Amino acid sequence: MVVQDSVDAPGVPLEPFLHQVGGHLSVMKYDEHTVCKPLISQEQRFYESLPLAMKRFTPQYKGTITVHLRKDSRGRLSLVANPLTENRGPFTVSTESAAVAIWQTLQQTTGGGALPLAQWQHPQRAHSLKESPATALLRSELRLKAQVPSLVEDANGNPTEKGSFNPWGLHCHRAHLTRLCAEYPENKRHRFLLLENVVSQYKHPCILDLKMGTRQHGDDASEEKKARHMRKCAQSTSARLGMRLCGMQVYQTDKKHFLCKDKYYGRKLSVEGFRQALYQFLHDGTRFRMELLEPIQHQLQALLSVIRSQSSYRFYSSSLLIIYDGQEPPPTPHGTNVSKVDVRMIDFAHTTYKGSWNEHTTYDGPDPGYIFGLENLIQILQGIHKGQ
C-alpha cells in the first residue's frame, strides 16, 4: 500500500469513532466503512503478513495514511487526514462533519470545555451529508439528555451522569488530541493504519470487547510494565478464564439507549460476574436474544480451529470483538429471524510470530492462553444456552 501524502489533496476531517468500547489508543472514523488508528509498526507488519485463514476474523487492512493537526484563525484544532486515491472510487469529503459539530456542542453543554484542545470545528458546509447512526446517536443525546436517564455505569455498576452514547471513544480521543498538541508541532505528520469499520453495517451495533489470553504484556515490555500487566491478570478473570471484559455496549430497545461498561468494570468481575455480564450483553432490556447464541458459538468454534492451526503466534494484549445488531431483523417468509453476528480479532501491537520484525522470542505451537480463553468462552455460552 502507498502512503498518500499530498498536501494539495482535500483534507478529510477525522471524527471520534463513537462505537469504540475499549482500548487506550483513539480510533477515528475516516469514512462510513473505514476507521483509522495510530500506526504501530508491529501491528502493521502483522496485517501485511496475515495468514489467509485468519482474514475472515480480522478487519480488512486498507493501508496507511498521514494525519496532522490543523488550527484555524480562532486557534481551534481539528485532526485531518489526506484521502487515499488508489483502488477507490470517487471519494466525497463531508467538509461539514455532523458528528464533529455535535461533538463540539456536546463539549460545550457537558462541561467538556475544561479541555479546550478537544474543541473541534470545520469551517465549510456539507455538500450532501447522510447522517450516520453514530451522528444520530449523538444528536439524540443532546435532545434527550434532560428526559432520559443515563445507562452508563461505573466500575461498581452504579449509574453515572455521562451521556447515553458510549463515552469511551471520546475519552480516548480527548486524551490523544491533547497529547498530540502537547508533544508535537502542529505540522507534524503522523502515520495511521486504515482498517475496515466492522460495525458499519449495523444500525445499533452491540459490541463486546474481550481482552484474550492469560498474559497481556509483550516480549518487549519493561520489567515494570510486565509486573503491572501480570498483576492485572492475576487479579481479574484473565488468569482464571483466559479473558476479561474490556468494554461493552448493548442496545436497550425499551430505553432506546446503549448500556455501556468499561475496562474498570471488567477488571473487578468474578467468574460468576463475567458470566452474568455475558448474559447481559445478549439481553436487550426486554428479552434475552436466544437466537444469537448458536451463530456466536459457531463462529467461535471456527475461530478456535484457526487459532489451533497457527504455530508460533502469540496474540498478547489482543482483543476479541463479538458484534450483533441491537435492531432485530424482520422475520423471513418462514417466520424466523436470521440475526447476523460477527467475531473479529483486533489490536495486534504486541503480537509475535516466527519471522516477525523485532522478534524477541520464538514460540512453538499455537497460543495456549488464547485457546484457553476461547474454550472457556464457548463453555460459558453453552451453559447459558442450556439454562434458557
Side-chain angles (χ1 to χ4, degrees):
M1 287 284 188
V2 177
V3 178
Q4 175 70 22
D5 193 19
S6 171
V7 295
D8 297 325
V12 178
L14 299 180
E15 306 174 7
F17 181 58
L18 299 180
H19 296 300
Q20 180 179 357
V21 302
H24 65 278
L25 289 179
S26 178
V27 177
M28 307 295 291
K29 177 182 173 184
Y30 180 77
D31 62 30
E32 288 300 320
H33 303 287
T34 312
V35 297
C36 60
K37 60 184 291 191
L39 185 149
I40 297 175
S41 296
Q42 195 165 338
E43 184 169 34
Q44 180 189 12
R45 288 181 174 89
F46 170 82
Y47 277 112
E48 290 178 343
S49 61
L50 186 66
L52 183 61
M54 291 187 63
K55 288 194 174 182
R56 63 174 285 201
F57 294 109
T58 57
Q60 179 190 356
Y61 171 59
K62 299 186 177 185
T64 66
I65 201 165
T66 56
V67 173
H68 65 279
L69 288 167
R70 177 182 292 170
K71 184 184 295 184
D72 66 11
S73 58
R74 297 183 184 180
R76 291 182 173 178
L77 294 163
S78 58
L79 201 56
V80 179
N82 294 321
L84 287 176
T85 56
E86 70 275 8
N87 300 324
R88 295 179 72 110
F91 184 88
T92 302
V93 179
S94 57
T95 53
E96 162 73 32
S97 164
V100 168
I102 296 173
W103 160 237
Q104 279 187 276
T105 307
L106 187 60
Q107 284 291 95
Q108 297 166 2
T109 59
T110 60
L115 289 174
L117 294 178
Q119 291 180 356
W120 284 70
Q121 180 176 2
H122 224 349
Q124 300 173 346
R125 300 192 62 81
H127 297 301
S128 176
L129 180 67
K130 181 179 179 182
E131 190 173 73
S132 68
T135 302
L137 190 59
L138 268 179
R139 194 179 298 283
S140 174
E141 156 63 18
L142 292 177
R143 188 175 64 249
L144 300 177
K145 63 176 292 190
Q147 293 91 1
V148 181
S150 169
L151 291 178
V152 180
E153 297 178 359
D154 63 17
N156 297 316
N158 301 314
T160 72
E161 297 302 320
K162 295 178 182 177
S164 61
F165 60 89
N166 195 314
W168 190 256
L170 299 183
H171 163 78
C172 294
H173 166 66
R174 283 193 299 194
H176 183 223
L177 186 59
T178 302
R179 183 178 63 82
L180 288 180
C181 294
E183 297 180 9
Y184 299 99
E186 181 184 337
N187 61 354
K188 168 72 175 177
R189 299 264 166 172
H190 306 271
R191 293 185 69 193
F192 276 50
L193 287 178
L194 284 169
L195 299 168
E196 173 191 4
N197 176 3
V198 297
V199 303
S200 62
Q201 60 185 304
Y202 300 95
K203 183 173 179 60
H204 300 302
C206 299
I207 307 167
L208 179 65
D209 185 330
L210 299 175
K211 186 76 73 174
M212 299 299 293
T214 54
R215 168 182 159 176
Q216 299 303 324
H217 62 276
D219 289 333
D220 58 345
S222 66
E223 288 302 314
E224 185 276 332
K225 186 174 183 179
K226 178 179 177 181
R228 187 172 71 248
H229 281 284
M230 290 177 68
R231 185 167 58 251
K232 288 178 184 177
C233 288
Q235 295 173 350
S236 69
T237 56
S238 292
R240 287 163 285 176
L241 295 176
M243 58 185 162
R244 70 172 180 261
L245 190 148
C246 190
M248 180 176 86
Q249 68 177 37
V250 53
Y251 190 68
Q252 305 292 278
T253 57
D254 53 341
K255 304 282 188 177
K256 309 299 182 188
H257 276 199
F258 283 98
L259 172 66
C260 305
K261 296 185 182 292
D262 61 24
K263 66 180 182 180
Y264 302 108
Y265 170 85
R267 287 178 191 171
K268 294 186 176 183
L269 291 175
S270 64
V271 171
E272 175 57 25
F274 180 90
R275 191 199 71 80
Q276 293 174 4
L278 196 56
Y279 179 92
Q280 186 176 43
F281 172 65
L282 298 172
H283 200 288
D284 66 7
T286 302
R287 72 176 189 90
F288 181 77
R289 297 285 300 274
M290 183 74 175
E291 73 279 5
L292 299 171
L293 282 170
E294 188 173 335
I296 289 175
Q297 291 178 71
H298 177 76
Q299 290 208 33
L300 291 174
Q301 289 283 4
L303 175 59
L304 180 58
S305 296
V306 170
I307 297 298
R308 283 173 172 162
S309 69
Q310 302 306 315
S311 181
S312 85
Y313 278 82
R314 295 296 181 270
F315 302 100
Y316 298 138
S317 198
S318 70
S319 283
L320 181 68
L321 300 183
I322 300 177
I323 309 164
Y324 70 90
D325 203 329
Q327 176 168 289
E328 297 187 40
T332 66
H334 302 289
T336 59
N337 289 344
V338 180
S339 298
K340 175 174 174 54
V341 302
D342 208 354
V343 169
R344 300 292 186 104
M345 300 172 69
I346 61 169
D347 297 341
F348 303 103
H350 301 287
T351 293
T352 183
Y353 49 95
K354 186 176 181 180
S356 63
W357 178 79
N358 202 23
E359 176 187 324
H360 288 74
T361 306
T362 300
Y363 298 92
D364 294 324
D367 188 334
Y370 204 108
I371 290 173
F372 179 62
L374 276 178
E375 289 175 339
N376 281 323
L377 180 57
I378 292 169
Q379 186 176 21
I380 292 172
L381 287 170
Q382 289 173 341
I384 293 175
H385 202 164
K386 291 178 181 177
Q388 295 302 303

